[in-house]
Amino acid sequence: MAAKSSLFDATRACRLAVLPLSCLLSLAGHAQTTPPPAVKPPLPRVEPGLEKAVQWRWLPEASDPSVWGVALPPAPEPETVPGSPGTDAPKKATLPQGPPQATLEYTVAKGDSLYVIARQHGVTIDQIKAFNQMKRDVIVVGQVLRIPSLADIQAMAPPPEPAPVPKTKVAPKSPPKAPKEAPPETKLLIKRPLPSPAASVARIVLMQAYLDRQAFSAGPIDGTDGPLYDAALRSYEMAHPGELNSEMGQPAAVLREMGGAYAEYQLKEEDLRWITPQPLAPPVPVRKSRKSAPPPPEPPLTFEDLTAPPFLPYRSVWEFVAERYHCSESFLRRINSGLNTPVQPGALFFVPNVLPFEIENALKEPLQPTADPAAPVTATIISNSRLEIRRSGKLIANLPVSVARPGLRGKGSWKILEAIARPCLVTSGDPAAPVNPPLVLPPGPNNPVGPIWIHLAKSSETTPLPYGLHGTSIPGYMNRQESVGGFRMTNWDIARAVRLLPVGTPLTWE
């Protein structure tokens, strides 16, 4: 065998020796010009735009509620139709209240979306897609769509299920066994088949969503496990022993009662009040390849980008929906890769089945509850990474925390003071060369401290410390990037933590 191997090597060497010089040079050139594998750029150490600002002292202040939100563009004037004979006054056209009487054909124009077309004709997006056998929300200029009539819609509806035929009862030969307890009825939350990226991780998303519903958060839901997930799960099982147990590998009863790992959310026109206005553009057809093209990179934020506007909204629809449903933006994009771009009102998202963070309702007063001596509340921050809240000694919440500034630590006994809704941040800048008037980071969900700031103080003092407990503008990176503030949580977690923490709640560090 060794002789054969040596003979083969010698023959191969001879063949290479007689190759033309041009071929050898070509092979060498090909090896040298092969592009190296793409290297992902490292994550910036500091939250973009705050590179210098992290060195300054910032103080929170309440902002004017009137600047909370983005002004929506005025509604377009209704189209006019000619008046009745003998009159010159035009009549204002009204939107139809239902489907047309007969099937129509509509040619897609520039700026159209399925939402706009459906609204103009009194039908739904799903009805247009089903009638035109469309699998995606993609339309292109010049495309002809058939608008279903009422009769068409009724014909598309599935026939009712036949009534079950009663079986003839036969006397049992032996006493019947007691029937097994039926599982609780499952709620129908989604009517469409799940895409494979969502279905493949549905089991862990179900558990993440359940823990999140119980205020035992593992951070942004992303369909993967890890240290934060393990910590949240262990903590919940200790607080609720046996609740997640199941038989024969089936989900626990509390998980079945949720109705599934996912729900659906349809983007509304009023949601745009919280999102940076995007330039209108005609829909871009999705390529037929299985992998959708990644979104184009956004230019890095500057300090001027953060201080110039009166309000810091979400920077995209994706960021808005991801925060509303407590998940990472990359995960949301992955399970909704078939959505049209740009995403417009009427778009239907698959989202984790959590209790949504509704920014339009999250700041209703009073933010903090009244202390109840019969059910005292205590709080503990463990290893600068988790906030535990107890009522009457029972653990009721376990939520992730991270430190915004390196080296910031707490020890001993502190306490919870008043909370500020819609905070802005104010600074005089560099202490060596202070500026006047002060610099301001305006309020908004993308303020570095989010929509809520909770003042903290040492247990023996009443003066607030310069660092509090607050939200964040970078929920997916708050463990990896420095920022301004103190001890941060995701915006959805700080919004529910504040409603569990009365003024005067003891806060200890472990």
Side-chain angles (χ1 to χ4, degrees):
M1 187 70 182
K4 290 183 179 179
S5 177
S6 299
L7 179 61
F8 171 79
D9 292 340
T11 304
R12 181 172 180 271
C14 292
R15 288 177 178 174
L16 287 175
V18 299
L19 279 175
L21 180 60
S22 59
C23 293
L24 293 175
L25 292 176
S26 176
L27 289 172
H30 177 74
Q32 293 176 359
T33 58
T34 302
V39 178
K40 191 175 181 179
L43 188 71
R45 182 178 60 86
V46 178
E47 182 176 353
L50 301 177
E51 291 80 6
K52 293 183 178 179
V54 294
Q55 305 172 19
W56 305 334
R57 181 179 179 181
W58 293 87
L59 295 177
E61 292 184 2
S63 64
D64 184 355
S66 65
V67 303
W68 187 252
V70 175
L72 292 177
E77 289 292 331
E79 295 181 2
T80 57
V81 297
S84 56
T87 64
D88 295 330
K91 296 180 180 179
K92 290 185 176 180
T94 57
L95 293 173
Q97 300 301 311
Q101 295 299 317
T103 307
L104 302 177
E105 288 190 350
Y106 179 85
T107 302
V108 177
K110 184 176 180 180
D112 272 342
S113 68
L114 282 179
Y115 169 77
V116 172
I117 298 171
R119 189 164 176 262
Q120 288 176 348
H121 293 88
V123 295
T124 67
I125 294 175
D126 288 338
Q127 288 167 351
I128 291 180
K129 290 175 63 178
F131 196 53
N132 290 273
Q133 299 181 348
M134 298 169 61
K135 295 182 179 180
R136 298 178 180 271
D137 294 350
V138 179
I139 56 176
V140 295
V141 174
Q143 179 180 353
V144 177
L145 295 176
R146 299 170 65 232
I147 309 299
S149 66
L150 179 59
D152 295 326
I153 293 172
Q154 292 172 344
M156 288 191 296
E161 296 183 2
V165 178
K167 297 180 179 179
T168 304
K169 294 183 179 180
V170 179
K173 296 181 180 180
S174 58
K177 297 180 180 179
K180 294 182 179 180
E181 183 179 355
E185 183 179 357
T186 300
K187 304 172 188 176
L188 183 62
L189 296 177
I190 56 176
K191 300 179 181 179
R192 301 178 291 161
L194 284 173
S196 57
S200 62
V201 294
R203 182 178 292 271
I204 191 169
V205 170
L206 178 65
M207 181 62 76
Q208 287 178 323
Y210 177 76
L211 292 174
D212 185 278
R213 281 170 167 259
Q214 309 306 314
F216 284 71
S217 171
I221 294 172
D222 60 2
T224 63
D225 55 10
L228 284 177
Y229 171 76
D230 293 340
L233 182 58
R234 285 196 305 268
S235 179
Y236 187 80
E237 289 178 329
M238 291 178 64
H240 303 269
E243 187 174 288
L244 295 176
N245 293 345
S246 60
E247 297 180 359
M248 303 297 292
Q250 296 297 317
V254 292
L255 298 179
R256 297 198 299 269
E257 289 172 359
M258 281 180 57
Y262 299 97
E264 289 181 318
Y265 180 71
Q266 189 167 33
L267 190 70
K268 302 184 290 292
E269 195 80 34
E270 54 266 32
D271 293 339
L272 302 183
R273 185 165 180 252
W274 311 105
I275 305 169
T276 300
Q278 304 294 320
L280 292 178
V284 179
V286 177
R287 296 180 178 179
K288 294 184 179 180
S289 61
R290 293 183 180 180
K291 294 184 178 180
S292 58
E298 297 181 358
L301 286 173
T302 64
F303 185 70
E304 288 70 24
D305 293 332
L306 298 176
T307 55
F311 179 73
L312 292 175
Y314 296 104
R315 298 183 187 107
S316 71
V317 168
W318 294 100
E319 188 181 32
F320 168 80
V321 178
E323 185 154 293
R324 198 175 188 91
Y325 286 91
H326 311 185
C327 63
S328 73
E329 184 177 334
S330 60
F331 177 69
L332 183 70
R333 287 179 180 272
R334 189 161 69 248
I335 65 175
N336 292 279
S337 59
L339 278 183
N340 196 8
T341 302
V343 182
Q344 298 189 14
L348 199 60
F349 289 82
F350 289 109
V351 293
N353 182 16
V354 299
L355 302 177
F357 166 63
E358 298 177 340
I359 190 169
E360 63 272 27
N361 300 317
L363 304 179
K364 290 183 177 179
E365 298 288 350
L367 281 178
Q368 293 170 281
T370 302
D372 181 3
V377 176
T378 60
T380 304
I381 292 182
I382 300 176
S383 302
N384 280 329
S385 62
R386 300 202 64 88
L387 170 67
E388 292 186 348
I389 303 175
R390 287 177 168 81
R391 183 185 295 128
S392 300
K394 180 177 176 59
L395 185 63
I396 60 173
N398 189 335
L399 305 168
V401 175
S402 77
V403 177
R405 294 175 181 266
L408 185 60
R409 296 289 184 271
K411 63 179 181 178
S413 299
W414 293 18
K415 61 184 174 183
I416 301 291
L417 298 183
E418 295 82 4
I420 299 177
R422 309 173 191 87
C424 62
L425 293 177
V426 181
T427 184
S428 296
D430 188 349
V435 296
N436 191 18
L439 302 171
V440 177
L441 284 170
N446 261 316
N447 183 288
V449 300
I452 296 171
W453 174 288
I454 302 176
H455 279 304
L456 303 175
K458 298 293 182 67
S459 59
S460 58
E461 301 177 2
T462 58
T463 303
L465 294 165
Y467 27 83
L469 189 64
H470 53 79
T472 182
S473 55
I474 48 172
Y477 299 106
M478 69 180 197
N479 289 317
R480 303 169 60 189
Q481 286 185 319
E482 300 172 19
S483 186
V484 299
F487 305 94
R488 54 191 172 180
M489 308 172 70
T490 64
N491 289 347
W492 60 86
D493 281 342
I494 192 68
R496 50 186 170 183
V498 71
R499 298 191 182 277
L500 299 174
L501 298 170
V503 174
T505 298
L507 172 65
T508 57
W509 299 83
E510 292 183 3

